[in-house]
Amino acid sequence: MALKGLDIFKLSPKKNCKECGSPTCMAFSMKVAQGAADISACPYFSEEAKASLMEATAPPMKTVKVGAGDKEMSLGGETVLFRHEKTYVSKTRYAVSLCSCMDDAAIDAKLAAIPKVDYDRIGERMYVEMVYVNYAPEAGADKYLELVKKAAGLDRVLILGCADPEVAKQAVELVKAEKPILNGADASNYEAMNAVATAAGVVLGVTGANIEDTYETIKKLEALGNKNLIIDVGVSSVKEAYKTAVLLRRTAIKDGDRTCGYPSLVQANVLAKGDSHMQAALASLFTMKYGSVVVLEDMTYAQALPLYGLRQNVFTDPQKPMKVEPGIYAINGADENSICLTTVDFALTYFVVSGELERSGVPCNLIISDAGGLSVLTAWAAGKLSSSTIAKYFAEADIEGKIKNRTLVIPGKVAVLKGEIEAKLPGWNVVVGPAEAVQLVKFLKDMQG
């Protein structure tokens, strides 16, 4: 059972030093109990108290780190079953599979295709973050090791799918500095695989014939001192994989069984081999419930655009608005002499407006200022969109130094701001635009005419 704030306060140093960022030890203890602060933020807890508190306040699902440097990412760490209860912590990661059973031409084609899906959406990079490299014994160890070297050249986090401890040891040795996942431990080889993973300091993937078998193997690995694990939910059937993923998450969070509290890996590439549509459907399913890593045979833009959009929606904190970064967005090849438009930073508004501007074909600069992630009318009502905020942003971003054109189109729903903006931005011709984004195409073409 999670500790209450008062339980934590009893073990606190009671200095009220404010070094943790909270005004009192009681306030800090309450934040720790709510998961809003980490116990390590206080420098005065005794090591003994800190160790016991960190164990008691740790999330029911362990957080594991994979990758190194700027590629490091967290898996697990979840505290709720449903997003509306609080928020999800670590987003699902997507991997594309390679296998040493493939011929060289197919391998090279896939290696060349993986980097092609790479774009930004609402300030987040969307790309294939992992590569699953599977060992086929019939192809031999040498070919597998060469494939691992080639895959490492993509600069992605690797998952080494190999159940042979000797081959796994050689493969891990090639890339251990990049902190890959070694997937392949089961009831028959867990001791040898554990030795390989712990020696290299990498996450070990565990699976079993069924969920009971998997659970027992995890217990044995924990007894050996290894809690740096990820659970492969299996490939016997979609039904069993889904059942395993849900049951593990529910048992960890609702029942507090930490043996089930590890991130999960789903091999959709095996569950729906050769069926890209089913793999996309499974990736969507396990993004919501409850895959930490989902492996696909390929990733195309047709798959990526809806899939990454879904992931971003699911793993965005529902208490924080989705915003785009303030700045000047040049559309249709706009330059410093192109007409300017302005609107708020609410992501939906930006995408609707920018889409219509692109459709118009008219070169223009869309200037986005910080409006707290609110819609146009809400931002105006809250004082986040006003002549003062626009003028302030123009000064901070040096808009006049970057753009020579002095025509600024404002949203039609805040036409009342026209005179005030002209007063704050002397020399600018402020034009009231249409009330709805869909009218922008005709509006801009009429202005040109």
Side-chain angles (χ1 to χ4, degrees):
M1 184 179 293
L3 290 180
K4 297 179 181 179
L6 189 58
D7 298 322
I8 299 169
F9 177 69
K10 289 176 181 177
L11 296 174
S12 74
K14 302 179 183 65
K15 287 177 174 285
N16 295 334
C17 63
K18 302 180 178 65
E19 290 183 39
C20 62
S22 298
T24 64
C25 287
M26 175 58 86
F28 176 70
S29 300
M30 296 300 292
K31 285 185 178 179
V32 172
Q34 295 165 3
D38 193 285
I39 197 72
S40 60
C42 174
Y44 299 112
F45 269 100
S46 69
E47 289 303 315
E48 185 177 332
K50 193 180 291 186
S52 63
L53 285 172
M54 288 185 75
E55 177 66 24
T57 58
M61 284 196 66
K62 183 175 176 60
T63 300
V64 301
K65 302 281 189 179
V66 299
D70 59 2
K71 299 195 299 295
E72 184 182 85
M73 56 188 69
S74 298
L75 304 174
E78 304 300 345
T79 59
V80 294
L81 282 174
F82 305 105
R83 175 179 178 268
H84 66 264
E85 294 178 299
K86 190 174 181 182
T87 184
Y88 289 153
V89 177
S90 301
K91 62 190 175 185
T92 302
R93 304 291 180 165
Y94 304 122
V96 166
S97 65
L98 295 168
C99 183
S100 57
C101 62
M102 300 166 59
D103 62 52
D104 291 341
I107 289 172
D108 292 340
K110 188 170 282 193
L111 288 170
I114 288 172
K116 291 181 179 179
V117 174
D118 195 338
Y119 62 98
D120 288 326
R121 184 179 189 270
I122 318 179
E124 182 182 344
R125 184 186 175 197
M126 307 296 191
Y127 68 109
V128 177
E129 298 131 322
M130 293 181 163
V131 177
Y132 191 103
V133 189
N134 190 57
Y135 171 55
E138 66 274 13
D142 291 341
K143 184 174 181 180
Y144 182 63
L145 298 176
E146 285 301 313
L147 180 56
V148 170
K149 291 178 186 177
K150 285 184 176 182
L154 288 175
D155 198 30
R156 304 292 199 268
V157 177
L158 297 186
I159 306 169
L160 306 177
C162 180
D164 184 323
E166 289 303 316
V167 177
K169 183 177 180 180
Q170 296 177 66
V172 169
E173 192 64 31
L174 294 172
V175 292
K176 66 180 181 181
E178 301 304 316
K179 297 299 178 186
I181 296 171
L182 172 60
N183 186 43
D186 57 29
S188 67
N189 67 1
Y190 72 91
E191 290 179 297
M193 293 293 284
N194 177 67
V196 173
T198 53
V202 302
V203 173
L204 179 62
V206 191
T207 191
N210 51 52
I211 191 167
E212 292 82 7
D213 186 37
T214 301
Y215 184 87
E216 290 303 318
T217 305
I218 295 170
K219 292 284 284 186
K220 291 173 182 176
L221 285 165
E222 289 180 328
L224 293 174
N226 190 354
K227 294 186 177 181
N228 199 23
L229 306 171
I230 185 169
I231 303 173
D232 187 328
V233 298
V235 295
S236 59
S237 70
V238 172
K239 179 181 177 180
E240 286 302 312
Y242 180 69
K243 175 184 172 182
T244 299
V246 172
L247 188 56
L248 288 170
R249 180 70 62 92
R250 183 172 297 177
T251 304
I253 292 176
K254 299 290 283 186
D255 299 337
D257 188 341
R258 292 181 185 268
T259 299
C260 295
Y262 293 98
S264 58
L265 184 149
V266 182
Q267 295 190 59
N269 61 316
V270 179
L271 290 168
K273 185 175 181 180
D275 189 339
S276 61
H277 297 295
M278 178 58 78
Q279 288 181 40
L282 291 177
S284 300
L285 171 67
F286 285 102
T287 295
M288 296 183 284
K289 288 188 174 184
Y290 290 108
S292 301
V293 178
V294 178
V295 186
L296 304 167
E297 286 183 296
D298 298 286
M299 179 69 79
T300 65
Y301 269 102
Q303 293 168 308
L305 293 174
L307 188 57
Y308 285 115
L310 170 67
R311 184 182 74 174
Q312 193 170 49
N313 287 336
V314 170
F315 287 90
T316 297
D317 188 338
Q319 296 181 344
K320 295 179 181 178
M322 294 183 73
K323 303 165 56 175
V324 295
E325 287 296 314
I328 303 171
Y329 293 81
I331 295 175
N332 296 328
D335 57 24
E336 61 184 5
N337 296 307
S338 302
I339 189 173
C340 301
L341 300 93
T342 190
T343 191
V344 294
D345 58 349
F346 178 43
L348 181 58
T349 298
Y350 167 79
F351 281 112
V352 170
V353 171
S354 62
E356 293 300 324
L357 295 180
E358 289 175 3
R359 196 164 66 89
S360 74
V362 177
C364 53
N365 292 302
L366 181 58
I367 301 174
I368 302 291
S369 58
D370 185 355
L374 304 174
S375 63
V376 171
L377 286 178
T378 308
W380 172 67
K384 300 284 188 179
L385 177 63
S386 66
S387 58
S388 298
T389 61
I390 292 173
K392 180 182 178 182
Y393 180 72
F394 270 51
E396 291 174 348
D398 188 26
I399 300 297
E400 294 192 356
K402 297 173 181 176
I403 296 178
K404 294 179 180 179
N405 191 294
R406 290 295 180 266
T407 297
L408 177 66
V409 179
I410 64 173
K413 289 184 177 179
V414 289
V416 67
L417 295 178
K418 172 178 164 62
E420 297 174 9
I421 295 173
E422 287 178 332
K424 293 281 178 67
L425 296 176
W428 282 81
N429 172 35
V430 179
V431 179
V432 176
E436 303 296 337
V438 72
Q439 300 167 329
L440 279 169
V441 174
K442 182 177 184 303
F443 176 83
L444 288 174
K445 288 182 176 179
D446 288 345
M447 282 190 71
Q448 278 195 321

